[in-house]
Amino acid sequence: MDILTLKNVSKIYGELKALDNINMRVEKGEWLAIMGPSGSGKTTMMNIIGCMDKPSVGEVILNGTDVSRLSSRDLTEIRRDEIGLVFQQFHLINYLTALENVMMSQYYHSMPDEEEAMEALAAVGLSERARHLPSQLSGGEQQRVCIARALINHPALLLADEPTGNLDEKNEYMVMDIFEKLHHAGSTIIVVTHDPEVGDEAERMIVLEHGRIAREEKKQRQRPVTDTGVLSEDKLSAFA
Ligand SMILES: Nc1ncnc2c1ncn2[C@@H]1O[C@H](COP(=O)(O)OP(=O)(O)OP(=O)(O)O)[C@@H](O)[C@H]1O
Ligand SMILES: [Mg+2]
């Protein structure tokens, strides 16, 4: 079953077609990578899929609902209940600590739970930094807070825009491991990346160029599910 269908989706800014007649289907539980040069429309596409923005033309069907026709209030609800977003720019709330940022996301979804929020931060290696403000965190640390925040409500659909862009190799593996386990637990994952190694983790890759799908590749996944101990099965229950 498809969790997502884009039908003839375009996003037009004046003369520029940031997305130019995109048709795409994503199956429930699939892990998809979106790649392509800077300016090719990746973030624009993620914003539309993530109900942050509407297409100029076309339909976006998420779980059977055409979200391109919904009010912004309904979109907020869908975003809150179904989707986990990891932004290219982190959008953390700057006067809240790492822990509070994660708990804020719980609050909007259901109920804040400090213990669970701490577990999510521990899973991304940030136990020691939980009480710091974003301005006191490095770029990679902020990115990991953003990931913990996206995962805390067990989203059916995880959208991640360059989730490892600011991370060193160790933290990149940590994040890929978390994605691997979420995938295993049934989440659908769409990840935008410039990093071929991150792209290789996906089951399918779509390459955008000038707002169009230039090519598409099904992949044999390389890496078996590993257990680095970072996210143990009991910690995973905090996510999936
Ligand atoms: N609000 C906007 N108004 C006008 N043009 C925009 C707007 N947002 C994006 N664009 C343009 O649309 C195109 C696609 O932008 P987008 O951010 O989707 O690229 P991207 O593939 O995510 O690039 P990057 O890899 O650098 O993040 C770019 O040419 C960009 O300048
Ligand atoms: Mg982008």
Side-chain angles (χ1 to χ4, degrees), residues 151-155 181-187 235-240:
L151 302 180
I152 193 73
N153 297 322
H154 324 151
K181 288 186 169 129
L182 278 173
H183 174 65
H184 210 65
S187 290
K235 274 188 192 156
L236 181 65
S237 66
F239 287 149

Side-chain angles (χ1 to χ4, degrees), residues 92-222:
L92 294 172
I93 300 170
N94 59 23
Y95 53 85
L96 298 180
T97 65
L99 179 63
E100 288 163 348
N101 265 282
V102 175
M103 289 174 71
M104 186 60 110
S105 168
Q106 291 175 314
Y107 170 78
Y108 281 122
H109 183 262
S110 44
M111 215 202 286
D113 177 338
E114 183 168 340
E115 202 178 316
E116 199 184 63
M118 277 305 291
E119 267 175 38
L121 287 168
V124 294
L126 285 179
S127 302
E128 307 300 314
R129 312 297 291 166
R131 315 263 172 200
H132 288 73
L133 296 171
S135 60
Q136 301 166 320
L137 300 173
S138 73
E141 287 169 345
Q142 291 180 59
Q143 190 156 40
R144 283 181 282 148
V145 176
C146 191
I147 289 164
R149 180 182 61 179
L151 302 180
I152 193 73
N153 297 322
H154 324 151
L157 177 60
L158 176 70
L159 302 175
D161 196 350
E162 287 284 355
T164 58
N166 294 279
L167 301 183
D168 59 18
E169 201 173 55
K170 172 174 156 261
N171 283 306
E172 177 175 316
Y173 283 143
M174 193 188 276
V175 168
M176 293 325 291
D177 238 47
I178 292 173
F179 283 19
E180 182 82 60
K181 288 186 169 129
L182 278 173
H183 174 65
H184 210 65
S187 290
T188 307
I189 300 176
I190 304 180
V191 56
V192 165
T193 184
H194 284 288
D195 183 339
E197 263 189 60
V198 174
D200 267 348
E201 299 280 316
E203 297 166 313
R204 180 160 65 110
M205 179 181 69
I206 281 178
V207 179
L208 288 185
E209 276 170 25
H210 304 294
R212 289 171 164 266
I213 296 178
R215 61 196 172 85
E216 189 177 330
E217 217 176 273
K218 274 219 181 265
K219 312 166 78 67
Q220 282 294 334
R221 303 205 28 255
Q222 314 271 326

